[in-house]
Amino acid sequence: MTAAAPERDGHASDGAAEHIRPLIDKLDPEATGAEMHALIRELYPICRSITGDGVRRSLRILRRIAPLTLHEVPTGTVVFDWVVPREWNLRKARLVGPDGEVVVDADRLNLHVLNYSVPFRGKVRLAELEKHLHSLPSQPSLVPYRTSYYEDDWGFCLTHEQRTRLRPGEYDVLIDTSLTEGSLTYGELVVPGASADEVLVSAHCCHPSLANDNLSGMVLAASLARLLGGLPLRYTYRFLFVPGTIGSITWLALNEERARRIAHGLVVAGVGDAGRLTYKRSRRGATEIDRAVLHVLASSGQDYEVRDFSPYGYDERQYCSPGFDLAVGSLTRTPHGEYPEYHTSGDNPDLVRPDRLVDSLRRYLEVFEVLEGNRTYLNLSPKGEPQLGKRGLYGSIGGQTHAVASQMALLWLLSLSDGSHSLLDIAERSRLPFNDVHRAARTLEAAGLLRAMDRRQTDAPRGAP
Ligand code: ZN
C-alpha cells in the first residue's frame, strides 16, 4: 500500500476508506486482544486521579504504542466556570486496627483510599473513623471507588464484610497524600489527514484501579491511534486522554477555536465487558457520526442498543454543551452504572475480555471507514440504467457469496447518485453494508459511471469555515 500525497482539502483521499478495511481484516482477535489486555493489566495498579503522577505514568506507558504528547495545565487556571484544582498525589494510605493488624493498605489496592483524600495522620476511635469509611452493604464483598475532588475530606473504602467485623478501639490512620500547586495532565495525539476537519476520540484517564471504566477506553483509543498513524487519511484524527469532566472542560477552554474543527467525535469508555455495544447519540441526535455508528451496529449482525443523548454520563456532556454543540456521541459496551462491578473492585482486569476489546476496536474502525468513505457521487449516465454488461460489471464484483449484494449495490448507487444522496444514505436505504456500497462506488467511478462530488461538512458546527 503506498501512501498517496494529499491533494487538497476534502478532496484528496477518496480511497481513504480502503485503507481502513485492511486494518479490520488483519485484526487478529487473539494477538490483539492479548496485547490490549496485557496493557490493561500493566496500567491497573497505578493510582490515577484527575491530577497527579498516576496519570503521567499511565500516559507514558501508552506512549509505547502511540506517540501522544503530555500537556500540563497549572493549578488555578480558570477554565470556563471551573478552576484547575490542586495536584493530588498518594504516597501511602494505611489503616491499622487496635491490635496492630493492617485493616486496609492502598499499596494492595488503591481503591482503599478515598481518591483526593487530604493528608491525615492520627489515632481515631471507631465511632469517629466510621464517618470516614465507605462500603457497599448491597455488595458486601466489593470495595467501592469513591472520590472527594472538590471537598476536603479523607477516608477509606473497604468491603462491607470487613467493615462489619471492625471492633471498637483506637485505629491508627495514615493518609500520606499531598495536595499542592501543580498541574492537570492530559494526553493528546493528532493523526493528520488531508482535511483539517477532525474526528475526535476522547477517553477519560482519571480512575485508579478500574479496568473497564477507564483503562479499556484508554487502551482502545491508543490502539486506534497506532493503527491509523501513517495512513493517508481523509480526516485528521485527534485523540484525547483527559481526566473526566475537568479534563475535557480544560481542553475545550484552551482549544476553543480548534474545537470548531471537530466534525465528528466519539467518547470511548467501557469497551471491554461482555455486554453488547451501546451507542449514545450526540445531543443533536442525527448527525453523520450518529448515523455512521448506527449503520455499523446494524450491519454487525450482533445485538446492540441505541440511546438518546442525556446530559449525564462521560465527557460527551462537555463536547455537546450548547456553547460547542459538537457532533460527539459515545460508543461503549454496557453503559456506566449498569453492571454490578461498576465503580468497585469488581471492575478489575478479569472483567475485561480480550475478545470484547477487539470487537469494540473493530467497530470503531468500521465507523471510521464510513466517515472516511462517505461521499456523494453523481451518476454520469442518469438517463435509463447504463448497460453494465458491456462494461463487464454484471456479476463481476467480489466473491460469489457477495455477488448479489454487490450487484444490488451497483444498482442502488446508480439509482440514488443524483447528487443529493451520500454513500451512507444509500447504505441505509439499501440495507447493504457500507463497505459493499463503497467498493461498488469505486468500481462505478473507475468505469466512468460515477463522479465524486465535493461535499460540504454538513455536521461542522455553525461558524466553521
Ligand atoms: Zn467512572
Side-chain angles (χ1 to χ4, degrees):
M1 204 178 337
T2 52
E7 294 158 18
R8 61 192 169 87
D9 195 83
H11 199 67
S13 24
D14 278 353
E18 290 172 0
H19 297 289
I20 308 262
R21 182 47 52 176
L23 297 179
I24 297 167
D25 291 340
K26 269 193 307 200
L27 276 184
D28 176 344
E30 277 192 22
T32 306
E35 190 185 5
M36 293 173 79
H37 200 258
L39 204 48
I40 286 174
R41 282 191 187 282
E42 182 178 351
L43 291 163
Y44 179 74
I46 299 173
C47 186
R48 282 161 296 270
S49 186
I50 51 175
T51 61
D53 281 331
V55 170
R56 288 185 196 103
R57 276 177 62 200
S58 302
L59 296 178
R60 286 192 194 114
I61 287 172
L62 290 181
R63 260 186 182 165
R64 288 209 301 261
I65 60 169
L68 50 97
T69 302
L70 272 65
H71 297 273
E72 302 284 348
V73 184
T75 300
T77 305
V78 175
V79 287
F80 300 132
D81 202 37
W82 300 61
V83 178
V84 172
R86 288 172 296 168
E87 179 177 326
W88 184 75
N89 281 291
L90 167 71
R91 272 180 297 272
K92 201 145 196 59
R94 195 174 54 202
L95 178 64
V96 176
D99 299 327
E101 78 282 10
V102 175
V103 180
V104 294
D105 187 337
D107 281 347
R108 284 207 289 251
L109 176 68
N110 61 42
L111 296 179
H112 281 313
V113 63
L114 175 72
N115 201 281
Y116 249 69
S117 276
V118 297
F120 183 86
R121 185 165 209 162
K123 299 217 183 269
V124 293
R125 304 206 57 87
L126 180 60
E128 175 63 21
L129 177 67
E130 279 287 353
K131 297 177 197 160
H132 297 276
L133 297 183
H134 304 269
S135 64
L136 297 167
S138 60
Q139 293 174 292
S141 64
L142 297 176
V143 179
Y145 160 54
R146 292 282 184 273
T147 66
S148 183
Y149 299 142
Y150 302 106
E151 200 178 318
D152 282 356
D153 193 9
W154 60 266
F156 291 103
C157 304
L158 69 174
T159 68
H160 200 66
E161 285 164 355
Q162 190 178 19
R163 184 178 185 170
T164 53
R165 287 198 305 268
L166 294 179
R167 285 176 298 105
E170 250 190 0
Y171 285 75
D172 192 16
V173 173
L174 168 67
I175 296 190
D176 183 7
T177 55
S178 59
L179 277 159
T180 55
E181 302 287 308
S183 57
L184 174 153
T185 310
Y186 70 87
E188 184 170 35
L189 171 57
V190 175
V191 179
S195 168
D197 288 337
E198 294 190 358
V199 177
L200 171 72
V201 178
S202 179
H204 65 286
C205 60
C206 52
H207 289 19
S209 287
L210 294 165
N212 193 45
D213 181 14
N214 199 47
L215 296 180
S216 70
M218 290 163 65
V219 168
L220 185 123
S223 303
L224 284 170
R226 173 170 65 176
L227 287 167
L228 295 184
L231 290 186
L233 297 161
R234 173 184 180 181
Y235 287 108
T236 293
Y237 288 73
R238 184 176 300 276
F239 294 87
L240 292 180
F241 303 83
V242 287
T245 307
I246 186 69
S248 51
I249 289 173
T250 297
W251 188 86
L252 287 167
L254 301 180
N255 296 275
E256 211 167 336
E257 284 315 305
R258 201 165 279 165
R260 314 247 164 237
R261 293 199 173 277
I262 295 170
H264 321 283
L266 289 173
V267 168
V268 51
V271 285
D273 63 278
R276 62 187 176 185
L277 283 161
T278 303
Y279 180 63
K280 176 183 171 182
R281 292 178 187 270
S282 71
R283 193 178 76 112
R284 279 188 272 160
T287 63
E288 191 173 343
I289 186 69
D290 297 304
R291 294 173 53 209
V293 176
L294 260 56
H295 178 76
V296 164
L297 294 178
S299 306
S300 69
Q302 297 175 351
D303 190 21
Y304 65 94
E305 189 184 347
V306 178
R307 296 188 177 184
D308 285 337
F309 179 82
S310 83
Y312 189 69
Y314 293 114
D315 285 321
E316 66 279 3
R317 289 145 58 183
Q318 316 310 333
Y319 302 121
C320 292
S321 59
F324 288 95
D325 196 19
L326 300 176
V328 175
S330 179
L331 181 57
T332 66
R333 301 198 79 90
T334 307
H336 62 87
E338 297 183 23
Y339 47 99
E341 300 88 352
Y342 174 77
H343 279 192
T344 74
S345 52
D347 183 2
N348 59 52
D350 293 338
L351 182 72
V352 172
R353 289 176 38 178
D355 64 317
R356 297 296 85 189
L357 288 169
V358 177
D359 181 72
S360 302
L361 181 67
R362 177 190 176 92
R363 302 309 164 198
Y364 271 82
L365 287 171
E366 287 177 344
V367 171
F368 296 162
E369 181 184 38
V370 173
L371 296 176
E372 289 285 313
N374 189 27
R375 317 195 79 91
T376 299
Y377 287 82
L378 189 65
N379 181 345
L380 300 176
S381 178
K383 295 177 178 169
E385 279 182 5
Q387 201 183 336
L388 297 181
K390 74 179 182 191
R391 294 177 172 88
L393 296 176
Y394 206 75
S396 67
I397 301 175
Q400 289 303 308
T401 48
H402 278 88
V404 175
S406 299
Q407 201 65 45
M408 287 309 297
L410 295 177
L411 297 177
W412 274 110
L413 277 161
L414 290 166
S415 173
L416 291 179
S417 293
D418 54 5
S420 63
H421 297 96
S422 69
L423 294 191
L424 181 55
D425 292 329
I426 297 169
E428 285 174 341
R429 189 147 160 198
S430 66
R431 296 175 188 275
L432 292 168
F434 182 86
N435 183 37
D436 286 356
V437 174
H438 179 259
R439 211 166 25 163
R442 303 282 286 161
T443 302
L444 290 172
E445 193 180 28
L449 290 172
L450 285 189
R451 177 167 59 79
M453 300 171 69
D454 274 319
R455 194 173 60 93
R456 259 210 187 118
Q457 253 334 306
T458 50
D459 288 335
R462 280 177 288 280

